[in-house]
Amino acid sequence: MKNRIKELRARKNITQLELAKLVGVRRETIVFLEKGKYNPSLKLAFDISNFFNLQIEEVFSLTSPTTYHKFSNF
Amino acid sequence: MKKSKILFLTLSGLTLTFIIGIYSYSKTSEIQPQMLIMYLLIGLIALVSIIISIRKMKEEKEGQPMEDEFTTQVKHKSGFYAYIASLYMWLFIFLFKDILSSDPEILIGGGILLSGVIGYTCKLIVKRELNEK
C-alpha cells in the first residue's frame, strides 16, 4: 500500500512529530508509514485522512490492484 | 509517575545492584572466563536498555505515547519469532552441553541471556521487514 502522507504533510507545513501527536501515535509510526514499510489500521488511516480533510482513498492506495481485478467481474 | 520513568528507574536500579554484586563477588572469588563473557553480555543488554528507556522518557515528555498500534504489532510478531528461535537455541544448548560448559549455571544463565539478545534481534528484523509479503 502506498500513501501521500509525506506530500500532504509538507503542504500543511507540519512536522512528523506534530502529525503523530495529532493522530495519537508515535513519530516512529509516521516515519514507517511515509516509507511505506507499515500498513496502518483502518482507524489510523481514517484519522490521518480526516486530519487532511480528504477521503481515505485520496491518501491511501494499493500498489498492486490485483484485488480490484478479482472483484471487477462481479 | 510516568511509565517510562518507572522503566528507567527500575533498569538503573537493577544495573546498579548487578554491578555491586559482581564487585563483591570478584573480591571473594576469581571470575571464570565464561562468566566474564556473560557479565559483558549483561552489561551490554543493560546499557542498551538504559539508552532505550532514556529515549522513551524524552519522547513521552514530547507528548508521544509509549506504545501505539505499530509498536504493539512489532512486539507481537517479534515475540513469536523470538520464541521459536529460543526453542532452537535451547535445543542447541542441550545437544552441545558437553562442549559448551560443564557448569549448569553457566549454561542456563547463558541461555537466558541469549534469549534476551534473540528477542532484541528479532525486534530489529521485524521492524525492517514488517510489510514484506
Side-chain angles (χ1 to χ4, degrees):
Chain A
M1 194 150 78
K2 60 179 182 178
N3 63 70
R4 292 169 56 214
I5 297 173
K6 197 174 182 177
E7 174 206 330
L8 296 166
R9 192 173 55 75
R11 269 194 214 170
K12 279 231 178 195
N13 201 21
I14 58 161
T15 62
Q16 287 175 332
L17 182 63
E18 284 167 335
L19 177 63
K21 276 193 215 172
L22 285 164
V23 293
V25 292
R26 292 168 57 78
R27 193 183 74 89
E28 190 185 22
T29 307
I30 303 293
V31 173
F32 277 81
L33 272 174
E34 286 188 354
K35 282 183 184 171
K37 284 188 172 180
Y38 173 61
N39 292 337
S41 68
L42 203 52
K43 187 195 172 291
L44 180 59
F46 268 111
D47 283 346
I48 293 170
S49 311
N50 285 341
F51 170 73
F52 290 119
N53 288 321
L54 292 168
Q55 293 293 310
I56 197 162
E57 59 266 31
E58 290 177 282
V59 184
F60 299 93
S61 54
L62 284 170
T63 39
S64 55
T66 45
T67 323
Y68 292 133
H69 289 305
K70 255 189 226 171
F71 299 130
S72 60
N73 298 329
F74 290 95
Chain B
M1 200 185 275
K2 282 181 178 174
K3 216 174 165 184
S4 57
K5 210 169 187 178
I6 296 168
L7 184 75
F8 173 71
L9 289 174
T10 313
L11 282 170
S12 308
L14 283 172
T15 312
L16 199 68
T17 316
F18 171 72
I19 292 166
I20 293 166
I22 289 184
Y23 181 73
S24 357
Y25 181 74
S26 64
K27 286 265 178 187
T28 52
S29 51
E30 205 177 304
I31 299 171
Q32 294 172 351
Q34 291 123 312
M35 290 298 276
L36 195 70
I37 294 168
M38 213 181 279
Y39 292 150
L40 286 173
L41 203 62
I42 294 170
L44 190 75
I45 293 169
L47 189 76
V48 171
S49 311
I50 288 173
I51 290 168
I52 291 170
S53 67
I54 290 170
R55 210 183 66 191
K56 290 229 173 191
M57 226 159 59
K58 268 186 194 172
E59 286 169 354
E60 212 171 33
K61 261 187 192 171
E62 286 174 342
Q64 293 186 69
M66 216 176 134
E67 276 188 6
D68 65 0
E69 58 174 61
F70 173 70
T71 51
T72 312
Q73 200 174 325
V74 169
K75 207 163 66 179
H76 289 172
K77 267 196 173 179
S78 58
F80 171 72
Y81 291 138
Y83 169 70
I84 299 293
S86 291
L87 286 181
Y88 283 105
M89 180 206 68
W90 282 113
L91 184 70
F92 179 83
I93 287 176
F94 285 122
L95 284 175
F96 299 101
K97 63 179 185 292
D98 299 328
I99 305 163
L100 293 168
S101 173
S102 54
D103 191 352
E105 281 177 12
I106 289 176
L107 286 177
I108 295 168
I112 293 167
L113 280 176
L114 272 177
S115 298
V117 176
I118 288 172
Y120 190 70
T121 314
C122 286
K123 206 173 172 182
L124 290 179
I125 294 167
V126 168
K127 253 187 188 179
R128 267 178 189 217
E129 294 165 11
L130 201 68
N131 272 355
E132 281 217 344
K133 301 284 180 291

